[in-house]
Amino acid sequence: MIFSPRMVQSSNYKSISTPCCIFYYVEDDSAAVQWLADNATESVDAIISDLGVTFPGEIRVYIADRGAFQELQPTAAIFPESIIGVAYSRLLLIILKSPRDSTNPQSDLGKTFIHELTHILLGAAFNGDETVPRWLNEGIAFYESREWNLSRMSTMTRAVLTDSIIPLSQLTRVFPDDPGSLQLAYAQSFYLVSFLITRFGRETFHRFIRSYSKNKQLDDTLLSVYGMNLYELEREWHSYLKMRFSWIPIITSSTTLWFIITIVFIYGYMRKKRKVSLTLKQWEDEELQ
């Protein structure tokens, strides 16, 4: 059941309007929200440019005060503490957890905003249709918010080397519940979207999104735009992953690491020896003066 989004009734709440968004927040979050507001239009324009979609209308962004994150949700769903942002594309609504209250020390309000903003703009392109594959929805959001990190790279490397990549058919509707598989699902989504854009170009990706958002037929759209169905795309993507990630263990093996450490040690030793020689010569010159 969908409820109307509820704004906490308090004189402490303020708002900032921009050409694309209206932000609701409390005084303690003023600095963070002002930064979001100052960059909101640029962020929207960048995502629209990347995806080739159109602007759907003013987006409401709520920055949740202490304990208000759950209260502001327009549905009866209960979110775990780890969730720091939620987007409702049909309502053009984003609810972010205040950076003061986030339990995740790595959280970044700006990246979370762009992530959820991408969900809104992509969902609007599909007219709020929830049939957008989860891997595509999350992959684009991670790509736009530049949420790449070494942990995600490590997760993908381990999956490639152990041949444990999750089939895309299992990531169409929902993602796994257990933390390890969930992180792999996010990593796969990111690297698949990155593969599509890098291998075939941004303009082709725009054409794919525009065509897919109109006909809602994934395989037909993939065939018409990329010349392959989902099975063939997945197979080519797997080949790309093996080529990209197979070399990583070579440079991270213990032998390689010890070799690098040795080179660094020798370099440091030679540099220090040279510095000592220069110092001794300087002292010798001073004595002769």
Side-chain angles (χ1 to χ4, degrees):
M1 180 178 179
I2 302 293
F3 302 92
S4 296
R6 297 173 295 166
M7 184 60 191
V8 175
Q9 298 300 314
S10 170
S11 59
N12 292 330
Y13 273 76
K14 300 182 176 183
S15 66
I16 297 178
S17 294
T18 73
C20 60
C21 303
I22 179 168
F23 295 87
Y24 297 96
Y25 64 99
V26 295
E27 180 64 33
D28 289 343
D29 291 320
S30 292
V33 174
Q34 186 61 60
W35 185 90
L36 290 183
D38 291 342
N39 292 276
T41 301
E42 181 181 347
S43 297
V44 169
D45 289 344
I47 297 170
I48 287 175
S49 175
D50 275 353
L51 301 185
V53 300
T54 56
F55 181 61
E58 186 179 67
I59 300 167
R60 290 170 294 166
V61 184
Y62 290 57
I63 311 300
D65 191 18
R66 297 184 185 280
F69 183 78
Q70 190 63 51
E71 290 181 47
L72 293 173
Q73 302 301 327
T75 72
I78 304 297
F79 294 97
E81 283 295 315
S82 59
I83 298 298
I84 57 178
V86 184
Y88 299 90
S89 57
R90 290 179 180 176
L91 300 174
L92 299 182
L93 171 68
I94 295 173
I95 302 175
L96 303 175
K97 187 173 290 186
S98 166
R100 295 176 293 106
D101 302 323
S102 175
T103 57
N104 180 3
Q106 300 300 319
S107 66
D108 182 298
L109 187 63
K111 287 186 177 181
T112 304
F113 171 62
I114 294 174
H115 185 112
E116 304 305 334
L117 189 59
T118 304
H119 285 319
I120 292 289
L121 295 174
L122 184 64
F126 282 80
N127 297 316
D129 196 324
E130 299 299 331
T131 60
V132 182
R134 184 79 188 272
W135 58 261
L136 178 62
N137 206 338
E138 293 296 341
I140 293 175
F142 272 96
Y143 184 87
E144 288 298 325
S145 56
R146 309 295 188 262
E147 294 177 81
W148 179 93
N149 55 45
L150 288 175
S151 175
R152 189 160 295 120
M153 182 178 181
S154 174
T155 297
M156 200 72 240
T157 302
R158 185 165 54 251
V160 170
L161 295 178
T162 59
D163 197 25
S164 56
I165 296 175
I166 304 171
L168 292 181
S169 59
Q170 297 180 21
L171 303 178
T172 299
R173 297 296 179 193
V174 296
F175 275 8
D177 290 328
D178 68 282
S181 297
L182 179 61
Q183 290 307 310
L184 176 57
Y186 283 129
Q188 287 187 206
S189 301
F190 168 82
Y191 280 108
L192 179 53
V193 169
S194 178
F195 165 74
L196 286 173
I197 294 174
T198 303
R199 176 64 63 87
F200 302 101
R202 198 173 299 279
E203 286 302 319
T204 304
F205 187 72
H206 288 180
R207 190 151 48 90
F208 165 66
I209 294 296
R210 285 195 297 267
S211 179
Y212 182 34
S213 65
K214 289 178 182 177
N215 62 43
K216 308 294 194 302
Q217 299 298 317
L218 181 59
D219 259 0
D220 290 348
T221 306
L222 287 171
L223 280 170
S224 65
V225 176
Y226 293 108
M228 58 185 126
N229 58 28
L230 183 60
Y231 171 78
E232 293 167 330
L233 170 63
E234 189 169 11
R235 187 173 58 185
E236 185 165 339
W237 176 57
H238 281 200
S239 298
Y240 162 82
L241 290 176
K242 289 178 181 178
M243 182 174 62
R244 172 166 182 169
F245 291 100
S246 295
W247 59 270
I248 292 177
I250 297 175
I251 67 168
T252 56
S253 67
S254 58
T255 302
T256 305
L257 288 175
W258 278 114
F259 174 75
I260 293 173
I261 291 171
T262 302
I263 293 298
V264 171
F265 174 79
I266 292 174
Y267 172 76
Y269 172 78
M270 297 300 293
R271 185 177 179 183
K272 184 175 182 180
K273 184 178 179 181
R274 183 171 179 272
K275 185 177 180 181
V276 169
S277 297
L278 290 174
T279 301
L280 290 174
K281 187 177 185 307
Q282 182 181 354
W283 289 350
E284 183 179 342
D285 290 343
E286 290 175 354
E287 287 292 328
L288 294 174
Q289 289 179 359

